[in-house]
Amino acid sequence: MNNSIPRMNETSLTNANEGIVRWAPIRSLWYLSHLSIAVIGGYFFFTWSAFSIFLIFTMLTLCLGHSLGMHRRLIHNSYECPKWLEYFFVHLGTLVGMAGPFGMIQPHDLRDWAQRKGSCHPYLRHGKGFWKDGWWQLNCDLKLKHPPVFELEERIKHNSVYQLMERTWMLQQLPWALLLYAIGGIPWLVWGISARVAVSITGHWLIGYFAHNQGERDWHVNGAAVQGHNVRFSGFITMGESWHNNHHAYPGSAMLGIYEGQADLGWWALNALRNLGLVWNVKLPNELPERPELSRIESTRPTRRSIRTPKTCIFSRLLT
């Protein structure tokens, strides 16, 4: 009934289509404020050192924080690691500026649940035009009339560290802001905080929009309202998150770029940590349960290595 999204519990009234999109003032003002500071302040206070801090800090928070901490660990449990490392990764993920840990898991699972239905609200499938979807996703929330009941697992729900991160997710920028200002002044503050947050949030929406509307596909999830697409040009800058057709096919996999030529910086970092003994029980596509609703699409593109043939698959080679 829950389409394999265990945190989403359905009732007889649960419906993925009926709902109202409403302006979310706190979320919208948070985003628009950082965007305004980034555009105006970024122009007047540009320095190469500030831009370098922007690049480094953005890469760290997106790769270790959003991709490894929030997405692959907290949401999908695709690997295990020491608690201190998990906390550090999730803190970096909170610094991306979209939400705290609970606020990241709930909308992600709601969207995954809805997209596996036969149909769902346009907000949940990026089903409107480019500009309207941008306004919706960046400034609004969806209130379903009959949503599923969201239930976090105990290890996250009652964790005092995650509860604190959730209550203070905006304030967690402050210590880093003070540090950056103390070292590099206003340029480092503008580029290291506001520009980074604005670019990260906007980029997250852009990839979500294209990854659910156009791009390459090797897999089809039968009966699903929404199919994932691989956005090839952004594989590197998204830390592997843009290989979204792969992710729709194997959501529990710690590896997202599962074929040759699919850059996945998140996987490279995770595999390095695995070799150091800091992560373990890493889940890969060939180790996940078979999905009867999943079918392979015949492609006219150059033949790729089969994901179901361990001797020739890229992840088998990387783990030796």
Side-chain angles (χ1 to χ4, degrees):
M1 288 291 292
N2 68 358
N3 284 34
S4 300
I5 308 295
R7 300 186 186 103
M8 291 295 171
N9 300 309
E10 299 183 21
T11 70
S12 58
L13 297 176
T14 302
N15 188 296
N17 290 284
E18 299 177 11
I20 299 175
V21 178
R22 295 175 177 170
W23 182 56
I26 295 177
R27 177 184 179 187
S28 180
L29 292 173
W30 168 260
Y31 169 68
L32 293 176
S33 296
H34 282 294
L35 181 63
S36 300
I37 294 171
V39 172
I40 300 172
Y43 175 78
F44 286 105
F45 296 101
F46 176 85
T47 67
W48 285 110
S49 65
F51 185 67
S52 298
I53 288 298
F54 161 78
L55 292 177
I56 295 169
F57 208 0
T58 301
M59 183 179 70
L60 287 175
T61 53
L62 288 179
C63 184
L64 300 182
H66 178 75
S67 187
L68 294 194
M70 290 291 194
H71 195 202
R72 306 191 206 203
R73 173 57 187 153
L74 212 58
I75 292 173
H76 288 292
N77 294 303
S78 62
Y79 68 92
E80 294 182 44
C81 65
K83 207 66 177 178
W84 65 265
L85 187 60
E86 178 179 310
Y87 288 153
F88 176 62
F89 283 173
V90 174
H91 168 62
L92 290 179
T94 302
L95 290 178
V96 170
M98 290 190 288
F102 302 164
M104 288 296 296
I105 297 173
Q106 193 274 338
H108 176 282
D109 280 15
L110 179 66
R111 196 178 295 271
D112 267 15
W113 166 82
Q115 289 177 358
R116 298 185 193 191
K117 296 294 184 183
S119 62
C120 65
H121 194 281
Y123 180 94
L124 296 169
R125 56 183 171 83
H126 295 275
K128 291 295 184 179
F130 181 82
W131 295 110
K132 185 169 185 177
D133 188 71
W135 171 255
W136 273 9
Q137 304 296 334
L138 296 171
N139 299 277
C140 303
D141 286 328
L142 171 68
K143 303 296 182 184
L144 284 178
K145 186 176 181 180
H146 298 292
V149 177
F150 175 65
E151 186 61 41
L152 271 172
E153 57 266 43
E154 295 297 313
R155 82 169 191 92
I156 299 176
K157 181 178 181 180
H158 297 297
N159 186 295
S160 59
V161 175
Y162 289 142
Q163 290 173 349
L164 178 63
M165 286 188 185
E166 184 65 25
R167 291 194 300 268
T168 63
W169 70 270
M170 290 184 182
L171 293 176
Q172 288 180 56
Q173 305 286 345
L174 185 57
W176 293 94
L178 293 174
L179 178 63
L180 291 172
Y181 179 76
I183 298 173
I186 294 179
W188 280 35
L189 177 63
V190 169
W191 281 91
I193 300 297
S194 290
R196 175 182 55 80
V197 169
V199 168
S200 297
I201 297 176
T202 306
H204 183 266
W205 160 64
L206 283 171
I207 295 303
Y209 178 81
F210 289 112
H212 291 99
N213 282 286
Q214 62 187 59
E216 299 174 356
R217 290 202 298 135
D218 293 291
W219 302 95
H220 183 82
V221 182
N222 297 309
V226 182
Q227 302 295 326
H229 301 259
N230 290 330
V231 186
R232 176 168 293 277
F233 75 89
S234 61
F236 189 86
I237 62 174
T238 62
M239 314 302 155
E241 294 289 328
S242 69
W243 305 116
H244 210 62
N245 181 248
N246 300 343
H247 183 58
H248 272 229
Y250 298 98
S253 172
M255 177 185 282
L256 302 182
I258 60 179
Y259 297 111
E260 291 283 7
Q262 294 184 340
D264 184 353
L265 269 68
W267 167 251
W268 299 347
L270 190 63
N271 194 46
L273 292 169
R274 173 190 174 276
N275 291 334
L276 292 172
L278 288 174
V279 303
W280 57 88
N281 291 340
V282 179
K283 298 177 183 176
L284 296 174
N286 63 336
E287 301 166 344
L288 298 174
E290 294 284 348
R291 298 179 62 189
E293 72 274 23
L294 185 65
S295 59
R296 182 68 184 264
I297 297 174
E298 292 298 328
S299 175
T300 57
R301 292 181 287 110
T303 303
R304 298 181 174 202
R305 297 182 177 185
S306 172
I307 192 171
R308 289 295 180 184
T309 309
K311 289 184 179 180
T312 60
C313 187
I314 183 173
F315 56 72
S316 176
R317 177 173 58 80
L318 285 172
L319 286 177
T320 57

